[in-house]
Structure formats: C-alpha cells, structure tokens
Amino acid sequence: EVVNFFGNYPLDRQALRRTDQSWLEAAQKNPTTKYILLSKQNAYTLPPSADNRKYSLCTYRYSQVSHLLENMSESSNQLPIVLLGSELQRNKITDTKDEDLHQSSTDVEGCVWFAIDVTTACSDEIEKLNPGAELLGSNLISLMGFDEGQAGILAQAISILSWHDRYKFCPTCGSSTVMEEAGYKRKCENEECRSLRGVHNTSYPRLDPVAIMLVIHPDGDKCLLGRKKMFPKGMYSCLAGFMEPGESIEDAVRREVKEESGIDVGLVRYHSSQPWPMPSQVMIGCHAWATSTSIVIDENELQDAKWFSRQDVFEAVTQGHRGYTERGGTGIFVPPRQAIAHQLIKTWATTSAHL
Amino acid sequence: EVVNFFGNYPLDRQALRRTDQSWLEAAQKNPTTKYILLSKQNAYTLPPSADNRKYSLCTYRYSQVSHLLENMSESSNQLPIVLLGSELQRNKITDTKDEDLHQSSTDVEGCVWFAIDVTTACSDEIEKLNPGAELLGSNLISLMGFDEGQAGILAQAISILSWHDRYKFCPTCGSSTVMEEAGYKRKCENEECRSLRGVHNTSYPRLDPVAIMLVIHPDGDKCLLGRKKMFPKGMYSCLAGFMEPGESIEDAVRREVKEESGIDVGLVRYHSSQPWPMPSQVMIGCHAWATSTSIVIDENELQDAKWFSRQDVFEAVTQGHRGYTERGGTGIFVPPRQAIAHQLIKTWATTSAHL
Ligand SMILES: Nc1ncnc2c1ncn2[C@@H]1O[C@H](COP(=O)(O)O)[C@@H](O)[C@H]1O
Ligand SMILES: Nc1ncnc2c1ncn2[C@@H]1O[C@H](COP(=O)(O)O)[C@@H](O)[C@H]1O
Ligand SMILES: [Mg+2]
Ligand SMILES: [Mg+2]
Ligand SMILES: [Mg+2]
Ligand SMILES: [Mg+2]
Ligand SMILES: [Mg+2]
Ligand SMILES: [Mg+2]
Ligand SMILES: [Zn+2]
Ligand SMILES: [Zn+2]
C-alpha cells in the first residue's frame, strides 16, 4: 500500500462519539485537548524550526479558545467547530511542553483534536494567542511545505470546514441549515423539508472522487503527460478528471483520457488514493494502458500533451525541480512527491518491466 | 478488470458536446434519438419478453416527446432533460424496428440518448405513448431484474435526475438554480453569489464514494459478513460505509470495519468498483485482511456480524437464494451477482490461496 502525503492520518476519527453530547462537552473542556484554527481554509501554523523543517499545526488549549466558543453558544453567528479525532495510542503526537497534562488525562484515549473556523472572529485577538503562528495558504505550493505527519489532519479540517462554508443552505428547499453531529451533518431548519424524512446525502459532507491516471504507451516504454496553461513553465503531469454519476473508476479513467487527449485506453489498474483538500476531493490513482497513440488535446483543459520516454521521465521524477533548473530549464519536471501524480509516474518510471 | 452490473455502460457520454447548443438541438430533434422517461427515479421499462428475459428501457422518439419538451420551453416548470450519450459504433444497441432510421442518420455517430424526468407531467399521457411500458421501482430488488446491457444507462439517469430533484437551490446562498450544460451543471440565479466566481462543486452533480469490503480472517480461511435489521432473513453481506473527507480508500476501509465490527484491518487491496444509483454512490470494493478476531458490532448499523468458513460462503455464493431455500432456510445466502458484495465474496470463496 502506498500512503500518499494527505493520506498520512494519525488520529482515530471517533465517529461513534459524534452524537455523544456529554463526551463531546468533556472532550472540549479537557485541558489536554488540542484546537486548531483556520481562517478561510488557511490554517494557523508554526513556521519551520530547528526541530521541524516544515510548517506544522499550531495547537491551542481550551483555556485559549474558550472565549471564542462561549461567544459561539450565545450568538446565532456560530463559529463552526468540528471534532477531528483523538490521538491513537500507538501513534501519539508528542508535544514536549505538555508532558504533565498528558499524564493527568485519564478520561480519554489520547488527546482529542478539534478544528474551529475563525474566519468571522477578530484576527488580532487570535494572533495574540500565539504571536508566532502564521496562516498557511491552502494552495498547493504552500501545502507542499507542510508537515507530512499531520497532512491528513489538515486535509480533513480544510475539507469539512469548507463544506460548512459553502453548504449553509438546504439544496432541496433553500432554507438555512444548522450543524449537527460534531460537524459531520447539517440539518435543514424547515420542518416540512423532504431532507428530514429518510437519509439524504444533502445532509452530509461532500466528497468529490477524481480519477487521476498515468497513461502508458502501447510499446510500454513511453507515457503520456500533459500540462495546463496555469502550470509553471516546464511542468508536466498526469491527466485527471472528476468521476461522473453512473460510471466505474475504470470507465472514468477511459473517458477522461479520451476527452482530454483523444487516446483510447484498455486496461486500467488501481495504484493508490489520497485525499486532496482543494477543497474536498479524493484522488483515485491508476495506471492506464493506451490502445492508440495519436494525440488530440482538448484545448479547454490542456495546453499540451505528449508521449515522453521512460528515460526522460525517470530523470524528471528522480531529479525534481532542481534537476530541471540545473539542466538550464531543458526537458521537463513533474509535481513533487506530495502529489499522487508523482507516485504514479515514479512507480512506472522506476520499474523496468511493463509494471 | 471486473465489470460489475451497473458498470456495464454502452454509451459515449459526449461530455464535450454538453456546451454545444446547436449539436444538442439537432440531436434532440433527430428521428433516431432515443428518449427514456423517469418518474420519481422509476424508469419506464418494457417487461420481460421472449427476446429478453429482463426488464429493459422503453425508448421514445422525438415525435412522441416533443410536446413534453415544448411545454418545457414555455413554462418555468421545466421538465429536467439530460444528455446521456451516444451509442458507440462498436457497441450499437440494435433495435430491429429502426433499421431504416438508422441508415438515414449521418449527422451523428450512433443514436443519441436523452433522459427526461416526467414526474410532474401527466402520467396518463405518458402511458398512452406506449401502453406496454411499466414503471420499474428504483429499489434494489426491482433493479436486479433489469437488463445487464443497459444497467449503466439506468444508473446514470437515476443519479443525475435525482440530483436535479434534490439540488434545486444553491447551497451557498439559498437562491434557486437553473440547469445548464445538458444537465451536468446547475447555476445559481443570484448574480452576487460566490458560486459564480471560480469553479465550485456546488454546481456539479454529487457523487458519494462508498468503501465496501470483504474482511478476511487472519487464518485466511474465514471471512466476516454482517447483516442489517432490514435485510431479508438469512442474508449476510459485506460491510460498507461512506468515505469521509480527508481519508484514503484504504483508511476508509479500516475505519468502517473498526466502527461496525470492532475488527482491526491491516492490508487492504482494491478489487473493483461500480456505480450504485441509490441515488448516487460509487461503490469501491476491496479485500481487507483482519489483524484481530473478536467482534463487537455497532448495534445502530448491524444486527449481527460473524466469521464464516470458506466452505459455507462458497455454498452461499454458488448456490444463491435457491440453495438457501432448498436447504430449508438453514445457513445463509448472500446478495445476488448484480451486487459488488457478491463479486468480492465470490472472488475470495472460489480462490484456494490467500487470494
Ligand atoms: N465536483 C466538481 N468540482 C469542480 N469542478 C467540476 C466538478 N465536476 C465537474 N467539474 C467540471 O470539471 C472541470 C475540470 O475537468 P476535469 O477535472 O477534467 O473533469 C471543471 O472546470 C468543472 O467544469
Ligand atoms: N453521503 C451520505 N449519504 C447518506 N448517508 C450518509 C452519507 N454520509 C454519511 N452518511 C451517514 O452514514 C450512515 C450509514 O453508515 P455507513 O454507510 O456505514 O457510513 C447513514 O445513515 C448516514 O447517517
Ligand atoms: Mg477532463
Ligand atoms: Mg471531467
Ligand atoms: Mg482534467
Ligand atoms: Mg458505518
Ligand atoms: Mg460511515
Ligand atoms: Mg455501513
Ligand atoms: Zn430543506
Ligand atoms: Zn448561490
């Protein structure tokens, strides 16, 4: 199993606790509980240090955020708060300053984590809580500099909070909705609404499956990479596209490849998956074997798509952006290892046989 | 590649044509074009006959549905109409009565298919169009009696039309929305809405990924099956659950198994996928290897879960419901071959090694 960057998830989601109000209240008030704060999908993080060369989540205590939560229960302008999960015993995130607190916690299995969307709170006040904290952009380049061990937590927080941000109204009747189940449900406030009778996906977080594929040439020794206009100069990557209702993963791969490049695909093989918080995709990575070779690109989606030799791709994937610069910007480079595209390309380029 | 029941999809979706108004208009009026009609997610079908022992889609001509479409363009109470796709040349759905029409069609590649939601139209009028047509329930048992070769078309039609039925309002601002792009987009009518700036998933059909898994005992010779209270007596199946934002497929498998049965899972291997139109899931089927054995069920989800020997499961999967009845209702039976659960179970039960 390949664990991709945003698939590194160190918590137990405690889904069965989401309806347990007394557990939730106790967990919120527990002094060991860790809160992370996001404003417009950007997380408050601690910048790289001698200990950790990556951005990592800035965590706050109940005593620091309780005034935000109290304002919350009084006003109708609630700050969304979401249960993330609890640290796994076998996978505790150690935080040296908290040794004592840790020892005294007996009522929960490992620290509990919550995320709060502080977009509507006063940013000065939040900055005062920890003047060292910095907002990390939720764009790909910023996220690539983020701590591997916490990337899954960040993906979960961004995805769920951006769902609350965009899904404030009931799609079935247009009424306003309220958060329930520790942030994993929104309930329509119109008592007559159909969404309250039976179970409907309108009440649950949205997650968009995307197929992403490395297409392999019929001769086995070339692969198809494409680039969008907005990519940095020299970067090529896998093709990808949103799955549609009523298709299998394999058919989605064949359809998107045909649409974007004109290439026919036969065999498709699943490789790995990863959550992708832009804002809430799950990328399903596959290798796909072409049965035709002549490329006709969809110019609305791609600026270029070409067959590249295994040798060129091997260099691009092993030498990275630095290699590209050192070669004076000749050839190509591919996305960094945090992108599942990199892993699909690397698996193929570093395997001598037909995979 | 295992192609599951609802994954049998014989059309080319023609996604690039969805914004091509003149192509769409010509396709709608073409006399070879086939319309299928659904009312409340139930499709008008032709009952089993000597030729076809299954229910199949009843198709209508433009001349038969044009009055429905005309009323549509006049009233604000539009009947949703969705482009399904066009018949693939290599996979033409033959319809003997239409030979002549077929020959005369030169402007499109194979017949084009559309689906219309006629829920709000007069059902008497629709029944008059073809008195032999019957509404096929969109529940699992009815759908199992449906023609394999068209199951993917039905899945697509049910999923997209039920999206239009439930997503009439913009989740971001609560305003009403209108259909665009041949049924694959809904646009917010509030010009100030954030959903009109940039690309947002609020405008696109919703698709819910579900992980479904056969859990294999550490000794390799038993598997875990569970049953919900609403299952018919004697039926056991795979566990399954909705994927959540911020997790990989493999982590979703491990989390749902742990939640529902208390079993720990290590290795997870993807098997196959299939669209599931209840109303709009994509089932992602996996085998999962347990690392613990003692079962604690979540009583809200399951009534029972047990380890079953390969021999018992082999009998259940090969002899079907009939075998269960012949045994006088002893032992168990598993879902029919149209369910991906059946395929996951069959692959394991009929493979002698550890898969
Ligand atoms: N769930 C979705 N979220 C965002 N864009 C979508 C979605 N579904 C379809 N699209 C459309 O798909 C385009 C990107 O193409 P692709 O990723 O190749 O399927 C976007 O520009 C949208 O027009
Ligand atoms: N997209 C969704 N559609 C329907 N139910 C959902 C969805 N997401 C989460 N759920 C919840 O998941 C329950 C079924 O559990 P499971 O399928 O095991 O995840 C439902 O009863 C809902 O409470
Ligand atoms: Mg595309
Ligand atoms: Mg697409
Ligand atoms: Mg694309
Ligand atoms: Mg479950
Ligand atoms: Mg679940
Ligand atoms: Mg379940
Ligand atoms: Zn509602
Ligand atoms: Zn809107």
Side-chain angles (χ1 to χ4, degrees), chain A residues 58-250:
Chain A
C58 181
T59 60
Y60 300 83
R61 303 271 149 222
Y62 179 68
S63 57
Q64 294 175 288
V65 299
S66 58
H67 65 289
L68 296 171
L69 298 174
E70 273 154 27
N71 292 348
M72 196 182 114
S73 45
E74 280 156 30
S75 76
S76 60
N77 206 353
Q78 300 189 335
L79 293 186
I81 172 169
V82 167
L83 170 65
L84 297 170
S86 63
E87 290 179 19
L88 297 167
Q89 291 301 32
R90 60 172 198 277
N91 203 354
K92 194 159 284 182
I93 297 174
T94 51
D95 182 347
T96 41
K97 285 169 293 180
D98 303 323
E99 293 290 3
D100 326 316
L101 291 173
H102 249 203
Q103 316 285 297
S104 70
S105 141
T106 49
D107 49 342
V108 285
E109 287 218 328
C111 296
V112 176
W113 288 59
F114 288 92
I116 309 178
D117 184 344
V118 297
T119 308
T120 61
C122 166
S123 61
D124 284 355
E125 242 182 82
I126 289 171
E127 275 151 32
K128 260 184 244 150
L129 297 177
N130 186 335
E134 287 179 18
L135 278 176
L136 183 77
S138 56
N139 57 74
L140 188 52
I141 298 195
S142 305
L143 291 174
M144 298 293 100
F146 186 73
D147 186 6
E148 191 117 13
Q150 299 186 323
I153 304 179
L154 184 59
Q156 178 191 19
I158 292 174
S159 293
I160 300 261
L161 291 178
S162 76
W163 176 64
H164 289 296
D165 179 37
R166 281 158 222 238
Y167 285 78
K168 292 203 185 309
F169 296 88
C170 172
T172 304
C173 78
S175 304
S176 58
T177 55
V178 286
M179 195 187 264
E180 285 194 340
E181 298 193 3
Y184 291 81
K185 187 169 182 181
R186 293 193 74 91
K187 190 170 123 185
C188 180
E189 292 193 294
N190 165 10
E191 285 177 17
E192 306 293 305
C193 181
R194 202 153 46 112
S195 73
L196 303 182
R197 300 195 302 275
V199 177
H200 300 279
N201 63 13
T202 53
S203 312
Y204 297 97
R206 177 161 174 154
L207 177 58
D208 292 302
V210 171
I212 178 164
M213 65 297 287
L214 183 69
V215 179
I216 300 166
H217 193 277
D219 77 13
D221 228 39
K222 292 198 262 314
C223 74
L224 182 72
L225 299 176
R227 54 172 278 114
K228 294 185 192 253
K229 219 189 296 184
M230 73 206 217
F231 281 7
K233 186 169 168 295
M235 190 174 102
Y236 278 76
S237 187
C238 293
L239 308 186
F242 287 95
M243 286 188 69
E244 296 195 354
E247 72 188 351
S248 65
I249 292 171
E250 293 78 7

Side-chain angles (χ1 to χ4, degrees), chain B residues 208-226:
Chain B
D208 293 301
V210 170
I212 178 164
M213 65 297 286
L214 183 68
V215 178
I216 299 167
H217 192 278
D219 77 12
D221 228 40
K222 291 197 263 313
C223 74
L224 182 71
L225 298 176

Side-chain angles (χ1 to χ4, degrees), chain A residues 1 7 9 13 15-16 18 156 159-160 165-174 184 194 200-202 204-209 243-251 254-255 259 270 273 275 280 282 284 298, chain B residues 1 7 9 13 15-16 18 156 159-160 165-174 184 194 200-202 204-209 243-251 254-255 259 270 273 275 280 282 284 298:
Chain A
E1 175 178 342
Y9 187 72
R13 287 176 187 241
L16 302 179
R18 292 173 188 161
Q156 178 191 19
S159 293
I160 300 261
D165 179 37
R166 281 158 222 238
Y167 285 78
K168 292 203 185 309
F169 296 88
C170 172
T172 304
C173 78
Y184 291 81
R194 202 153 46 112
H200 300 279
N201 63 13
T202 53
Y204 297 97
R206 177 161 174 154
L207 177 58
D208 292 302
M243 286 188 69
E244 296 195 354
E247 72 188 351
S248 65
I249 292 171
E250 293 78 7
D251 274 353
R254 285 184 281 258
R255 177 183 52 72
E259 283 173 20
Y270 172 77
S273 63
S280 191
V282 54
I284 304 178
D298 172 6
Chain B
E1 176 178 341
Y9 187 72
R13 287 177 187 241
L16 302 178
R18 292 174 189 160
Q156 178 190 18
S159 293
I160 301 262
D165 179 37
R166 281 158 221 239
Y167 285 78
K168 292 201 185 311
F169 296 88
C170 172
T172 304
C173 79
Y184 291 80
R194 204 154 42 115
H200 300 280
N201 63 12
T202 52
Y204 296 97
R206 177 160 174 154
L207 176 58
D208 293 301
M243 285 187 69
E244 296 195 354
E247 72 188 350
S248 64
I249 293 171
E250 293 77 7
D251 274 352
R254 285 184 280 259
R255 178 184 51 72
E259 282 173 23
Y270 172 77
S273 64
S280 191
V282 54
I284 304 178
D298 172 6

Side-chain angles (χ1 to χ4, degrees), chain B residues 171-183:
Chain B
T172 304
C173 79
S175 303
S176 57
T177 56
V178 284
M179 196 188 263
E180 284 194 341
E181 300 194 2

